[in-house]
Amino acid sequence: MSQSTFKTLLIFILSFSFFISHSQRRRNSEPSGVKYDTALYNKMKWRNIGPFRGGRSTTSTGVIGDPLTYYFGSAGGGVWKTENAGITWKNISDGFFNTTSIGAVAVSASDPNVVYVGTGEAPVRGVMTSSGDGVYKSTDAGKTWKHLGLELTRQISQVRIHPTNPDIVYVSAQGSPYTPTKDRGIYRSTDGGKTWKQVHFVDENSGASDLSMDMNNPRILYAAYWDHQRKPWFARSGGEGSSIWKSTDGGDNWTKLEKGLPEKLMGKIGVSVSGANSDRVYAIIESEEGGLYRSDDAGSSWKLMNSERIIRTRSWYYMHIFADPVNENVVYIMNAPFMKSIDGGKTFARVEVPHGDNHYVWINPDNPNNLINSNDGGANITFDGGSSWSTQQNQPTAQFYRVNADNRFPYYVYGGQQDNSSVAIPSETFGSGIDWKDWRSGVGGCETAYVAFDRDNPELMYSGCYQGIIDEYSWSLDREKQVKAYPEMGLGEPSDEQKYRFNWNAPIIVSQHDTDVIYHAGNQLLKSTDRGITWEEASPDLTRNEKEKQGPGGGPITNEGAGGEVYNTIMYVEESPFDGNVIWVGTDDGLVHITRDGGANWQNITPPNAGEGIMNAIDASPHDAGTAYVAFTKYKFNDFRPYIYKTTDYGATWSMVANGIDANAYVRVVREDPGRKGLLYAGTERGLYVSFDAGTSWSEFQLNHPIVPITDLMVHRNDIITATHGRGFWILDDLTPLHQLSDEIKNSTAYLYQPQDYIKPIPSALRRQGPQGANPYNGIEFRFYMKEVAKEDSIPVTIEILQGSNVIRTLSSDSEIEKNKLAKETGMNLAQWDLRTDDIEPSKGVMTNPQQGNVIPGYKVVPGNYAVKLTYGDVTQSYNFSILPDPREKVADSHYADKGNMLININNDLKDIYNSLSQLQDVRGQVDGFRRR
């Protein structure tokens, strides 16, 4: 073969390979499969049940000249605003932001309508850290937002706005914590964010961890750089790139500041220039020679003022410093405690705040006693220098890792709230809402808790904490005791010296087949049958057990001792719903194992070529014993793509089933609905997805659920419950419409969905106040679909509720009575029945309540059997359903029947009385008319 022929053939092969590869990518991005128009189910509605207990916040700000208005950014829950100094907060980013991890919030001093937000929290946790997608801007004080780019910066530590020109803005981009990138450093815009220029860059490993602007001369900027990387097994904080830089010309040129700073390796750095004296600059530095450094000559030279460990502990998480804008000798350092110095940093005293783990403080230059503080419990405001603070019990920004629920009525929802306690919260109450009086804080374990129990008898709960701590909690006694397999305190201990390696979020399950059996997973699966008194090893080490990835959790300066970097651990345990001897196990280093004989033998069934990553959740199909779905993440390797593996043969073979999910929405959990085979729900870092064909294709499934990281979800009692990283728990009630979806419905002129049986609750006497989680509608919602409703369509749609052959209530699109009027729109519609029979229209002159429409409301029906009928032109459709008694109260069925008969008789008597009175009034009218003649 000649050289030219060979070249021609090579070009053809490469071109053909590119074509095939490109075609395959197109097929992956344009999935085909079973899909349904969202109009078939778009009136289904999520509700947030709380708890209203704040979650982690790392940024906040006030508004100069308006002491009532403040903003804070949640680490996972978006941007929030108050206009009454923290009495109430409102989310203002929903519907605009693609990601809800917030790193920086800034309001223009010269135009308070201008607000910039940098996404991606800067204190990069090894667990649950979410990346951002750049910068957002509002020009109407948060009513609307526009995305301004910088998507690849990932984590943004600060946004600084020129004090007199809101179009000049600087962003300190910390960059991806997981891999070296060029998308970090200092960015500047001079046209309000339309365009950006990277005006400073150190190296691919070093991001800008802080940025301070001299408000007396905004051309002067100080930038702190942090040389770091978060590996799944190690937090590296420190390197040659950690440094402080200064610009005196608005960012065009920069000078490295070195004189007097530590000569030894530096790690994370925070920097702040005093608004009271431009020559006074403070820096908090991680180093063996670290602590608080101060410059009194605008950064030309530095002096160590304070090296106390309390102001520089756990450096990767803190190192936030803020100079008072009025007094050059006052400086604040945010650490686990909130620290304040009034002598230029020589000494510090603790300021009491509502929550620990502090990250940010904004100080009002008009009144330095007015501050807003961000910490791991939310945001809080003070007007007296910290003597008192606004509450964090009005912020539904809790971050949960996992979710579980029991079978009580109402059922309770359980999980561990990051940097708080475990919690048990009812799915509903029978009053105005769900407030803090309704839920229980602390059901064993701690912030990282799995909570496991016998769902039919949730008296004893097994709740976890980091380092393998596990408690048995008694609901009735409100008491806990530790039942750890190998009692030790592992904080700070190298993982290769621990008997068992436990994940930060170590799995715990109680067997659904034998509730005496408890599983707790470290690097081995542990099993107890005597309430945790003794434990046996039910498996060998199921991880990769890579010794080079074990040991201290951080370095080279500061060890990370909280347990977030313990690697080679079991991440998830799933028991087959068909057979208690079948157990699936996934690890944080990318392995999947299965046992089919209760643990005597284990088989490595890892999907081929999966590589390292987190097998974050496994769902064993409730319909097919050999089928399972695995949510796999590689975000800790800077890969944010969605991965879902499916097997139908116990792991002998696997297929990838993630088509249709956004390329940056990595998947944390997949669940199959027990009510319909192949109906799947996926929780991702950027919202929810649904598949109607066992994963062949996926569609967005947000409805009204905020876009927020979904850390776990479960299908329970025909509802979906989501655990979110920043917005608490959410519930979607009654999945029946999704179970029924078909081409028949899609092509129907009108279609009534099957209602589920309804439990009629006993009303609650508990008085609730303050922010509350949402209850479902207090009655029955009938859902129906209209294929197409034209404006000129005059045909009414009616919903009739029947008891036996009697129509007891009619709802209609033609009704003149508001509470009986139905919407009649293209797509899904709702008909709400308050369980009352039709109203009684009284005779003229009879006193009635105007708030009830000048009628006598019908009575509320009793438990029993009923039917519902839809009519629309020639279309009729009906279903039977039951109203069930509240199981918390034991009443004989005969008593309900007696009450029902009594109510019917009273209702009939009232109708007879008013009918007779009306007839009498008519006769009297006739007599009066005859007399007048």
Side-chain angles (χ1 to χ4, degrees), residues 887-907:
R888 296 172 298 172
E889 184 176 58
K890 303 303 179 184
V891 177
D893 291 344
S894 60
H895 291 176
Y896 288 117
D898 290 344
K899 180 180 179 180
N901 290 330
M902 180 186 70
L903 290 170
I904 291 171
N905 291 333
I906 292 173
N907 193 64

Side-chain angles (χ1 to χ4, degrees), residues 809-828:
R809 183 70 177 273
T810 301
L811 309 172
S812 173
S813 60
D814 273 2
S815 175
E816 295 180 358
I817 302 172
E818 189 62 33
K819 63 181 177 181
N820 292 346
K821 191 171 183 64
L822 297 181
K824 188 179 73 170
E825 303 170 349
T826 299
M828 178 180 269

Side-chain angles (χ1 to χ4, degrees), residues 306-332:
N306 191 308
S307 61
E308 291 180 88
R309 176 58 59 181
I310 195 170
I311 63 173
R312 54 191 177 107
T313 59
R314 212 177 181 203
S315 301
W316 68 264
Y317 199 41
Y318 303 114
M319 309 306 277
H320 311 297
I321 189 166
F322 304 88
D324 187 280
V326 176
N327 187 334
E328 65 180 89
N329 288 314
V330 175
V331 61
Y332 297 87

